[in-house]
Amino acid sequence: MLIYGLFVGKFEPLIAKKRKTLYFSGDPLINSMAKNLVIVESPAKAKTISKFLGKDYIVKASMGHVRDLPKSKMGIDVDKNFEATYVVSPDKKKVIKDLKTAIKADTKVWLATDCDREGEAIGWHLQEALKLKKENTNRIVFHEITKPAIMKAIESPEPLNVDLVDAQQARRILDRLVGYELSPLLWKKIRYGLSAGRVQSVAVRLIVDRERERDAFEKEEYWSITGEFYPDKDKKETFTAKLHKKDDKKVEIGNEKESKKILKDLEKTDFQVESIEHKEVKRNPAPPFTTSTLQQEGARKLRMSVKKTMVVAQQLYEGVNIGKEHQGLITYMRTDSMNLSTQATTAIKKMVTKDYGKEYALDKPRVYKSKKGAQEAHEAIRPVDVTLHPKDLEKHLDKDQLKLYKLIWKRAIASQMAPAIMDREKIDILSEDKKYLFRANGQRVKFPGFMKVYVESFDNPDDETKHDENLLPALKEKQGVHAKEVVPAQHFTQPPPRYTEASLVKKLESEEIGRPSTYAPTITTVMNRGYVEKEEGTLKPTDTAYVVTDVLVEHFPNIVSVGFTAKMEDDLDQIAQGKENWQEFLGDFYEPFHDNVMEKMETIKKEDVVNEESDEICEKCGSKMVIKLGRYGKFLSCSNYPECKHAKPIGETEEEEKEFTELKKKLGGKKCSECGELMEVKKGRYGEFLGCSGYPKCKHMQSIVKFSGVKCPECNGGQLIERRTRKGARVFYGCNKFPKCKFAMWNKPVDKKCKKCKSLMMEKDEKVVCSKCKE
């Protein structure tokens, strides 16, 4: 004992130094000394929390979920009240072993997983997998990773919230039942590898329905007339006004002929100011971020995918290195609450007063009303320390982390600032014959308030300018004004826009489908499964999406019903609040669902689902062609298959068909480098490629390089070739000397130079325009 005491005394500084860097990672020396084990989900979170606790604590990471339903079978006994069989994931067996090693007979375990249903379930699974004694196990909950929050949580531990665990378990089992029973039906009746899900199938239906709206939309022509006016004696002070009324009725101009008639009426006509209306308008800031609004604004302002936004937010929450410290920067990012703590609003008021002036601060905090069912115990997403300005973090955060932190910081600060005050002015200009009335709308920011820091973005780009200043000259009623120019403009009504990730999240939330924490994985799943493709930032359904949606709508209407899915989310919320039994909820759903699946497995015929008639005749054998659904969408196939194997893409033009034939002639006779068989030109999801004729015995493939015939404008030595983005979804044109030359462009280049700036010309919207000045 004396020798041990001398050893520790002599080497205590060394041990302390070692402890500082290793006690969160499971160092055996520290494990033998610590009396408390804190379990979190990730190493980053463990690293941040470890610096707040003393030598009696070690902090370890479970690396997320440690148990789940088995992959090899359904794992649910529906006859035993939905009893679930959970297994430790193969990649988590070592984690469980290490955690068990760290737990001694007198070790107190603190479950510090995230403060939501998923976190509560992870805590419960850890308790079960580690066989923890209830008397030695505590649950601690915190919404930010700071020393005060962690110490307060340890001072007031709680038992695991069984209702939250039940709600998560009900959701997991429900999703397994739907996926495990419905997916095989889709494999059998449509194509192998497809999947259906309670939330994903509704999301796909929304995207398909919107695309059908767009296809059915018939655009209508309309015209507008805008005048440029100036007051008496001052031709320089011009302003614009739009024709608003004709004969005291709102003007509607349907075609050019009508617009020309109006222009003729207005020739040599004088005007006067009929009325001037001033109005002071207050505009309040948007509330601090919830999960869904952060996802939306991240997509709109930062062009981040929903998935990327959540990954970066998780990093900011769990902590990053700020100099020598590892520090959490934002509160928990999975929340539907708009609340801010008194501590936060007080700090914001102090900072706003100091940096912007007293007039920009609020006398009392602004309170936002959260939506029904929001967890009011949580806070909105905000900086942990509002005095930590984004500029102070430029050296410590990567580009994406800094952009997202700045967005969160600005939104939280602005939410507690004074309203903006706008002076709005409306001037009506009447023609001399009292027949035509033009209206000019002006706006001036009288006091910027919160707009000094942050203004929310819109899904519609046209709305972005509605809060910009537009100053009108000082005029008086009955004052004469003159028209410098009156210009007509042709317009066409536009179809409803495709969903973007931001607008889809907004729609899912407004319809109460899923929860904000599920939106990112849902969007990722529907894209990975081939239901949706991204096209210029919008979500476009594939042929597979149409077929699967139609089958589900006809045979399983509840699964893709917005109302039914929202009702199920509400039931899960009731379970989380202890107001509904989770097994009864599953029973009510499963019995009719299972019976329907069994019936449809027998009655749905595959040929009725995936085959459509066509007017095309097979050029090889003269039989009728039918439209079939393949892995990469619909195509034309000979109805005499397998005797005749002729197939071709749908909607292929004569030019494309000729190009494909020439390509086959050009590359015919090329031999496979792996087996010696002839290579064939084939068409896949992302265009033409060379595939071995010995398939499936030999699966060798080669890409086909397509030259544009245009010299690279940057290096002048290479030629621009057709290439595809990493995931293959989008075509672009890059120099064939890559990586030496990194020139690339999205639009197809044209071998011509712009007369104005000498830049390369390109194809855009069926026109040839300059790649630089776009003219």
Side-chain angles (χ1 to χ4, degrees):
M1 185 66 73
L2 180 61
I3 293 168
Y4 172 76
L6 287 169
F7 175 84
V8 173
K10 187 174 181 180
F11 293 100
E12 177 62 35
L14 182 63
I15 295 170
K17 187 176 180 182
K18 183 179 177 88
R19 179 185 301 133
K20 189 174 182 181
T21 56
L22 292 179
Y23 69 70
F24 69 86
S25 63
D27 183 59
L29 175 64
I30 303 306
N31 284 356
S32 63
M33 299 168 66
K35 295 176 182 176
N36 296 273
L37 171 65
V38 181
I39 306 177
V40 297
E41 291 97 331
S42 74
K45 190 174 173 183
K47 189 176 180 182
T48 308
I49 291 173
S50 65
K51 70 185 179 73
F52 304 136
L53 303 173
K55 64 183 180 182
D56 288 336
Y57 291 82
I58 58 167
V59 188
K60 282 180 168 287
S62 71
M63 311 302 290
H65 276 279
V66 293
R67 296 199 315 171
D68 198 4
L69 296 168
K71 290 186 177 180
S72 57
K73 58 180 180 178
M74 186 159 74
I76 301 158
D77 193 334
V78 295
D79 297 322
K80 289 187 178 178
N81 217 7
F82 300 97
E83 185 180 295
T85 301
Y86 292 106
V87 295
V88 174
S89 311
D91 60 330
K92 297 300 169 62
K93 286 181 179 177
K94 188 176 183 302
V95 173
I96 293 295
K97 185 181 176 183
D98 289 347
L99 289 172
K100 281 182 175 179
T101 305
I103 301 170
K104 310 301 176 189
D106 60 343
T107 302
K108 185 172 274 191
V109 178
W110 303 81
L111 299 172
T113 47
D114 288 343
C115 51
D116 57 10
R117 289 180 200 172
E118 215 65 32
E120 209 72 21
I122 292 172
W124 177 74
H125 281 295
L126 282 165
Q127 183 175 274
E128 295 294 308
L130 296 170
K131 296 181 172 58
L132 299 177
K133 296 175 184 176
K134 287 190 178 178
E135 61 271 20
N136 285 349
T137 306
N138 288 308
R139 168 76 168 123
I140 54 173
V141 175
F142 44 87
H143 308 296
E144 60 183 56
I145 304 177
T146 59
K147 187 168 184 176
I150 302 300
M151 301 316 291
K152 186 180 177 183
I154 285 177
E155 286 168 14
S156 51
E158 307 170 359
L160 275 166
N161 187 325
V162 178
D163 294 329
L164 285 181
V165 174
D166 286 347
Q168 192 277 341
Q169 192 170 204
R171 181 192 294 277
R172 181 71 189 95
I173 292 172
L174 178 64
D175 290 342
R176 172 57 69 98
L177 292 170
V178 172
Y180 225 84
E181 298 219 348
L182 209 47
S183 296
L185 182 138
L186 298 179
W187 300 348
K188 188 176 178 182
K189 306 300 180 182
I190 302 175
R191 176 169 58 76
Y192 182 77
L194 296 175
S195 70
R198 193 176 48 85
V199 176
Q200 79 169 57
S201 296
V202 180
V204 172
R205 181 185 182 178
L206 289 172
I207 295 166
V208 167
D209 286 352
R210 175 59 59 88
E211 196 69 15
R212 281 182 166 145
E213 280 180 62
R214 289 170 56 80
D215 291 341
F217 183 83
E218 292 182 11
K219 64 182 181 182
E220 293 179 9
E221 181 184 11
Y222 70 97
W223 286 68
S224 65
I225 292 176
T226 304
E228 188 177 2
F229 296 92
Y230 61 91
D232 283 333
K233 300 174 185 177
D234 195 351
K235 289 187 177 182
K236 289 181 181 177
E237 203 167 8
T238 61
F239 63 98
T240 58
K242 280 193 172 184
L243 181 61
H244 183 59
K245 287 184 178 181
K246 178 186 175 184
D247 295 327
D248 216 28
K249 293 177 183 176
K250 190 173 179 181
V251 71
E252 290 181 359
I253 310 168
N255 53 52
E256 188 177 15
K257 187 180 177 182
E258 289 176 26
S259 73
K260 282 182 175 178
K261 186 177 183 305
I262 293 171
L263 290 174
K264 192 171 183 182
D265 286 352
L266 292 171
E267 279 178 7
K268 298 176 183 177
T269 300
D270 277 331
F271 299 84
Q272 73 170 20
V273 177
E274 177 68 10
S275 65
I276 300 174
E277 185 181 310
H278 288 277
K279 191 177 181 183
E280 188 176 274
V281 178
K282 281 188 178 180
R283 185 182 170 205
N284 284 314
F289 283 127
T290 61
T291 304
S292 67
T293 55
L294 177 65
Q295 291 170 346
Q296 292 169 52
E297 200 74 333
R300 290 189 294 236
K301 278 194 187 296
L302 307 181
R303 298 290 182 265
M304 279 188 189
S305 68
V306 170
K307 181 181 178 181
K308 179 71 176 287
T309 297
M310 293 310 291
V311 167
V312 177
Q314 184 94 29
Q315 293 166 357
L316 295 174
Y317 168 68
E318 292 182 345
V320 294
N321 289 319
I322 309 294
K324 293 180 181 178
E325 294 288 320
H326 198 78
Q327 190 174 334
L329 295 177
I330 63 169
T331 53
Y332 191 53
M333 66 285 153
R334 291 188 187 91
T335 177
D336 49 8
S337 172
M338 296 180 190
N339 287 342
L340 290 178
S341 67
T342 304
Q343 178 191 352
T345 55
T346 303
I348 291 172
K349 181 179 180 180
K350 189 177 177 181
M351 195 219 72
V352 169
T353 304
K354 178 176 173 287
D355 291 358
Y356 299 97
K358 193 177 179 182
E359 67 274 22
Y360 284 89
L362 297 174
D363 292 331
K364 59 180 183 178
R366 184 181 282 111
V367 178
Y368 294 91
K369 188 178 179 183
S370 297
K371 65 172 190 172
K372 184 188 79 171
Q375 295 170 297
E376 295 299 329
H378 290 191
E379 274 194 80
I381 304 167
R382 64 165 175 84
V384 163
D385 178 1
V386 297
T387 63
L388 201 54
H389 196 281
K391 284 182 181 177
D392 303 329
L393 298 172
E394 286 176 356
K395 294 178 182 177
H396 308 293
L397 302 182
D398 67 31
K399 186 176 69 175
D400 291 329
Q401 289 170 343
L402 184 63
K403 285 196 293 187
L404 196 64
Y405 178 79
K406 191 184 288 186
L407 193 71
I408 293 166
W409 186 89
K410 285 184 171 185
R411 177 91 163 213
I413 302 301
S415 74
Q416 294 300 313
M417 289 178 71
I421 300 172
M422 323 289 283
D423 261 346
R424 288 185 184 163
E425 190 176 17
K426 184 171 72 179
I427 300 177
D428 285 348
I429 310 291
L430 193 63
S431 62
E432 199 173 34
D433 58 5
K434 312 286 185 188
K435 194 174 182 181
Y436 295 101
L437 184 138
F438 286 77
R439 177 164 291 172
N441 290 302
Q443 180 168 267
R444 181 176 71 88
V445 178
K446 188 176 180 181
F447 174 67
F450 73 91
M451 291 170 65
K452 192 108 175 167
V453 174
Y454 178 88
V455 179
E456 188 178 29
S457 291
F458 298 88
D459 287 318
N460 185 353
D462 294 339
D463 292 334
E464 293 287 351
T465 58
K466 71 179 184 182
H467 298 296
D468 291 351
E469 284 198 322
N470 176 32
L471 302 179
L472 297 176
L475 299 170
K476 293 178 183 177
E477 288 189 4
K478 308 305 175 188
Q479 180 181 347
V481 292
H482 306 283
K484 185 179 180 182
E485 188 180 26
V486 180
V487 181
Q490 184 187 38
H491 310 274
F492 292 94
T493 53
Q494 295 299 309
R498 284 189 182 126
Y499 285 109
T500 60
E501 287 197 17
S503 60
L504 181 61
V505 165
K506 190 175 182 179
K507 178 68 174 175
L508 290 171
E509 187 182 37
S510 68
E511 297 288 356
E512 298 183 350
I513 299 163
R515 284 292 172 262
S517 59
T518 65
Y519 298 155
T522 296
I523 292 171
T524 301
T525 299
V526 299
M527 292 180 72
N528 289 345
R529 298 283 183 184
Y531 289 124
V532 175
E533 293 174 340
K534 261 197 175 179
E535 189 175 281
E536 296 182 352
T538 63
L539 302 174
K540 181 183 177 183
T542 61
D543 290 336
T544 305
Y546 284 100
V547 174
V548 171
T549 297
D550 288 345
V551 167
L552 294 177
V553 167
E554 183 179 350
H555 301 286
F556 301 92
N558 280 349
I559 294 298
V560 284
S561 161
V562 168
F564 183 77
T565 307
K567 169 69 170 63
M568 294 186 87
E569 287 297 340
D570 188 55
D571 288 338
L572 288 165
D573 287 342
Q574 295 295 309
I575 294 166
Q577 294 165 34
K579 296 177 181 177
E580 194 170 324
N581 180 279
W582 70 275
Q583 287 142 323
E584 288 178 10
F585 160 74
L586 290 172
D588 291 343
F589 166 80
Y590 181 70
E591 213 170 295
F593 169 72
H594 174 72
D595 290 344
N596 194 26
V597 171
M598 292 300 101
E599 181 199 331
K600 299 302 179 183
M601 198 66 91
E602 299 300 321
T603 57
I604 297 175
K605 293 179 180 177
K606 183 172 182 174
E607 54 271 25
D608 293 340
V609 174
V610 298
N611 290 356
E612 297 174 43
E613 286 189 6
S614 84
D615 298 327
E616 296 264 349
I617 301 297
C618 176
E619 57 241 46
K620 295 280 177 76
C621 72
S623 300
K624 259 200 154 189
M625 301 283 277
V626 292
I627 299 170
K628 290 193 171 187
L629 180 70
R631 188 178 174 190
Y632 303 123
K634 291 183 177 180
F635 67 98
L636 283 165
S637 174
C638 182
S639 58
N640 197 26
Y641 180 88
E643 281 73 25
C644 176
K645 295 181 180 178
H646 181 57
K648 65 178 186 178
I650 288 176
E652 191 174 57
T653 63
E654 282 184 32
E655 190 180 327
E656 286 170 334
E657 202 168 338
K658 186 181 175 185
E659 197 177 298
F660 186 60
T661 305
E662 284 176 5
L663 202 59
K664 285 197 285 187
K665 284 179 185 176
K666 185 180 176 182
L667 298 172
K670 190 177 173 71
K671 290 194 174 182
C672 176
S673 59
E674 302 223 345
C675 71
E677 293 284 336
L678 285 173
M679 298 289 277
E680 293 178 339
V681 179
K682 297 184 177 184
K683 280 196 177 182
R685 186 180 186 181
Y686 302 126
E688 297 88 355
F689 66 96
L690 281 170
C692 181
S693 60
Y695 181 87
K697 286 182 181 179
C698 177
K699 296 180 181 178
H700 180 58
M701 291 185 295
Q702 277 181 258
S703 58
I704 296 173
V705 178
K706 288 188 178 180
F707 287 87
S708 66
V710 179
K711 201 174 183 181
C712 175
E714 194 161 295
C715 70
N716 289 316
Q719 190 179 146
L720 298 184
I721 58 171
E722 187 180 299
R723 301 177 70 186
R724 286 186 179 269
T725 51
R726 190 172 293 177
K727 292 185 179 177
R730 194 172 175 192
V731 171
F732 70 98
Y733 297 86
C735 182
N736 67 335
K737 297 290 184 184
F738 180 85
K740 283 185 179 179
C741 176
K742 295 182 179 177
F743 178 81
M745 60 191 295
W746 288 114
N747 296 79
K748 188 174 182 178
V750 175
D751 197 14
K752 287 181 183 177
K753 292 285 176 71
C754 174
K755 291 177 182 177
K756 188 176 179 182
C757 69
K758 306 301 179 188
S759 295
L760 188 67
M761 301 293 279
M762 65 181 191
E763 292 180 7
K764 188 176 182 182
D765 300 328
E766 298 179 4
K767 295 178 185 176
V768 175
V769 299
C770 175
S771 58
K772 192 172 183 180
C773 58
K774 305 292 188 289
E775 291 179 4

